[in-house]
Amino acid sequence: MKRLLRCEEWSKLRVGPGLELESLEELTSIVAGWKYSTGEDPDAYFDILPGALVPKFWTGTLETELLVLEVAPIGAKQLEPELRSNLDGSLSAMLATALSAQSMTAGLASISADGSRHDALMEMFCDELQLARRRQVIRRYASTSDSLPSPRGRISFPGQCYESIRRPGRFASAWVALTEDVPENRIFKEVLLRYRPRCSARIRGRIDLCLSELDSVDASGDHRLEWAKVRADRLPPIYHSLLRQSKALLDEEGAGVFAGDKLATAEIVFTSRLFEQFVAKELSWISPAAGLVSKAQDRGTFTCSRGDGKGVFELIPDVRLIDDRGKTALIVDTKWKSLDMRKRHLGISREDIYQVLTYGSRFNCADVVLLYPDVTNETGKTGYYQKFESILGARKYSVHVLKIPLLAPTLMVARDLLTGAQISDHRVL
């Protein structure tokens, strides 16, 4: 049994006897396990320090050769069960809203049962099912018999004698052929049929595409009787994952994002990218009401040039809001970090302030916004707003700091805060 190590994002895992990581080998196994499971660069998701490792910008469960590492979202450990449940639900809703490459399955783990995100679950299920079928379609040889107008396979006796009397010119045939109507495919089809009515129109389209590929599969029976017939020893690993997901879905055990007491298929969620994309989508929905156009990750602007007309040091704000004259009205940058409300500067790093002020100067925009997640007991249900003033080159800039509430019962509170934020002359963020 591998040792289970639990921590939060941005927590320092020290290396040494009696510490979080007992040896350097455990640290290297985490880095190697990350590369193997995600294919992502570890430098972007871990700070590797002398004698310590700091996971950042992701949450979920990572199994390595030596241990299992569970990383909870920032602030989760300090929350009461109700607020922890709300945070899990918010991350689930964000995942369902963003629905991009911000998560991946990561094996079995203990997961909370607070998540309710049929769209997100079925999106991932359909993706994995289609990927599995591209690699290998599950088919098996099966014996079939029928009365046909022309012989096929072999003629069955004495059935043919009776058939020639009852229906002259027909042949009682028996043959062996490959079929997709096997227990595994019947289970997958049952999952798709059960969850289709619960999903949005977009996801129903994905489900219908998968169902069309399983058109020859009969799912009219009881799926509970199919599990004993599954031939797991003959299946590639990707189908093992699909069967585990199917079992959880058919048993109505929809899982949440982070640690709990349900054994389910865990995910590694790229929280920083997820938060960024969630905010970008929310702004794209609410900005037209303010007469603004939202542009996410807009490229092509540089800080410097080398004198040859070609730029260097590209500036890529998370979101720019453009008015009807083509002028940048607001610049928004998301940060998946915790703030320290006890400090006068709120714990905002100099680098983050320099970054958004550079954006403001380059895009000629006096209002720049820093967005952070709010998972604190004090304001996690309502959010928080603070404005700082700055003067650069005789021009005044306003740095608006907004904490998005992730502990409210619904993310509609976050949308209401974004919609109602009064920033300069624009009642939109």
Side-chain angles (χ1 to χ4, degrees), residues 136 140 184 231-236 240:
Q136 178 180 326
R140 297 199 182 101
E184 296 85 352
R231 302 292 298 273
D233 57 318
R234 298 188 176 184
L235 297 175
H240 296 170

Side-chain angles (χ1 to χ4, degrees), residues 125-133 188 192 210 214 239 242:
F125 183 84
C126 289
D127 283 344
E128 196 159 340
L129 179 59
Q130 290 179 313
L131 176 61
R133 286 179 61 82
F188 300 149
L192 297 170
C210 291
L214 299 173
Y239 277 108
L242 276 168

Side-chain angles (χ1 to χ4, degrees), residues 2-7 11-15 19-43 45-48 52-56 58 60-71 268:
K2 294 179 181 177
R3 182 169 72 92
L4 175 61
L5 174 59
R6 286 189 169 101
C7 69
S11 58
K12 183 180 289 188
L13 305 178
R14 299 165 299 168
V15 180
L19 300 178
E20 292 84 4
L21 297 174
E22 295 178 354
S23 66
L24 187 60
E25 287 73 20
E26 287 191 341
L27 186 152
T28 55
S29 77
I30 291 174
V31 174
W34 177 265
K35 289 181 180 178
Y36 177 79
S37 297
T38 69
E40 299 281 343
D41 182 4
D43 289 342
Y45 297 96
F46 295 92
D47 283 339
I48 303 176
L53 183 71
V54 180
K56 62 181 182 180
W58 69 277
T61 304
L62 178 69
E63 184 168 358
T64 76
E65 288 186 357
L66 301 180
L67 53 79
V68 176
L69 175 63
E70 277 190 3
V71 178
I268 287 176

Side-chain angles (χ1 to χ4, degrees), residues 172-184:
S173 301
W175 66 96
V176 175
L178 282 170
T179 177
E180 291 187 37
D181 191 16
V182 296
E184 296 85 352

Side-chain angles (χ1 to χ4, degrees), residues 108-133:
L108 288 179
S110 296
I111 303 299
S112 77
D114 298 312
S116 177
R117 52 195 174 96
H118 297 137
D119 275 20
L121 287 169
M122 292 309 298
E123 174 94 355
M124 290 182 287
F125 183 84
C126 289
D127 283 344
E128 196 159 340
L129 179 59
Q130 290 179 313
L131 176 61
R133 286 179 61 82

